[in-house]
Amino acid sequence: VCVGLDPDLKKLPECLKGAEHPIFEFNKAIVDATRDWVSCYKPQAAYYAGQGADDELKMTIDYIHEHAPMVPVILDVKRGDIGSTAEHYAREAFERYEADCVTLSPFMGFDTIKPYLAYENKGAFILCRTSNPGAKDFEYKKLDDGRHVYDLVGDSLTALGKDYMGEHGYSSIGLVIGGTHTEEATAIRAAYKDTFFLIPGYGAQGGKAADIAQYLTKGNGGVVNSS
């Protein structure tokens, strides 16, 4: 399980609303309760930037690294820009916030991804076939060769990932594969057996445990996000 940390100030418990750093205190309580049980944490950056809480995002990641040092942090930013802009975004994620992984959008091509790959011992999950209803607006469109757009993304990034294989048989370039559409689950897992998945969509978005299990290989090969 990947625990998503998506705090909304309007929904925090009353006892935290007078705190100096209410978002951090909320996250801290979650981390303290779950750090012995979960595989990773995933703060969604928009919830911090949009509420003027960038400092509390940094505090949260620092707290995880200090108190759960074996549990990596995926910074969910879904960046997708080119050149020096991508280099600055990579610096923000890996140097300012010291995250272990990021989420990225591949729409503008490989040059939006490569600046992140220059960082050793870091990783990236690239949007491939997402869990939202709008995924069918573009990701499911058919190409001339019969593949879907999400197949093109997955095939291309899996090929790139072969240069970034880890000692346990998976690439540090992972794919975001939503768990709400299960019709092609078996085919996707078989096609990308060496690629690690970040699997959103469980719970509130409608994904069931039995459905999402189809995206794993004997329980391995991905993390299932619950925010």
Side-chain angles (χ1 to χ4, degrees), residues 8-227:
D8 183 340
L9 282 169
K10 297 189 298 295
K11 297 180 180 180
L12 293 187
E14 289 294 329
C15 62
L16 292 178
K17 291 185 178 178
E20 182 180 2
H21 301 292
I23 285 176
F24 169 69
E25 294 296 337
F26 180 69
N27 289 343
K28 178 177 177 291
I30 292 175
V31 172
D32 288 344
T34 61
R35 62 190 177 197
D36 294 332
W37 305 99
V38 302
S39 63
C40 54
Y41 293 98
K42 184 176 73 65
Q44 164 51 258
Y47 279 84
Y48 302 85
Q51 299 178 105
D54 288 0
D55 58 335
E56 295 184 72
L57 173 58
K58 174 64 173 165
M59 292 167 66
T60 296
I61 295 174
D62 288 347
Y63 187 82
I64 294 169
H65 287 328
E66 180 179 355
H67 295 275
M70 298 302 293
V71 184
V73 175
I74 303 168
L75 184 59
D76 192 356
V77 288
K78 299 183 180 70
R79 304 292 193 202
D81 217 323
I82 58 172
S84 59
T85 305
E87 292 174 6
H88 282 290
Y89 278 140
R91 188 174 300 126
E92 174 194 41
F94 294 142
E95 297 183 33
R96 178 186 179 191
Y97 290 118
E98 299 184 87
D100 301 291
C101 301
V102 290
T103 58
L104 303 174
S105 171
F107 183 74
M108 292 176 66
F110 289 130
D111 52 349
T112 68
I113 296 168
K114 289 183 177 177
Y116 299 86
L117 305 181
Y119 287 82
E120 292 186 10
N121 300 315
K122 302 292 185 180
F125 286 102
I126 318 298
L127 298 178
C128 180
R129 206 229 33 200
T130 56
S131 59
N132 59 307
K136 297 195 174 181
D137 293 340
F138 298 112
E139 296 167 19
Y140 279 77
K141 298 302 182 185
K142 285 288 190 75
L143 306 171
D144 290 342
D145 61 10
R147 293 182 297 168
H148 299 94
V149 170
Y150 70 75
D151 293 318
L152 171 64
V153 173
D155 292 350
S156 301
L157 291 168
T158 297
L160 178 63
K162 293 187 182 303
D163 293 331
Y164 299 91
M165 296 301 294
E167 61 187 62
H168 296 292
Y170 289 103
S171 167
S172 61
I173 302 175
L175 296 176
V176 178
I177 302 290
T180 52
H181 311 291
T182 58
E183 299 83 1
E184 55 277 348
T186 302
I188 288 177
R189 182 71 272 179
Y192 309 126
K193 60 182 179 10
D194 300 327
T195 303
F196 210 76
F197 294 169
L198 171 59
I199 307 170
Y202 174 75
Q205 291 187 53
K208 305 289 193 298
D211 298 331
I212 288 175
Q214 298 177 64
Y215 292 98
L216 303 174
T217 303
K218 297 180 179 178
N220 199 357
V223 289
V224 180
N225 183 69
S226 184
S227 295

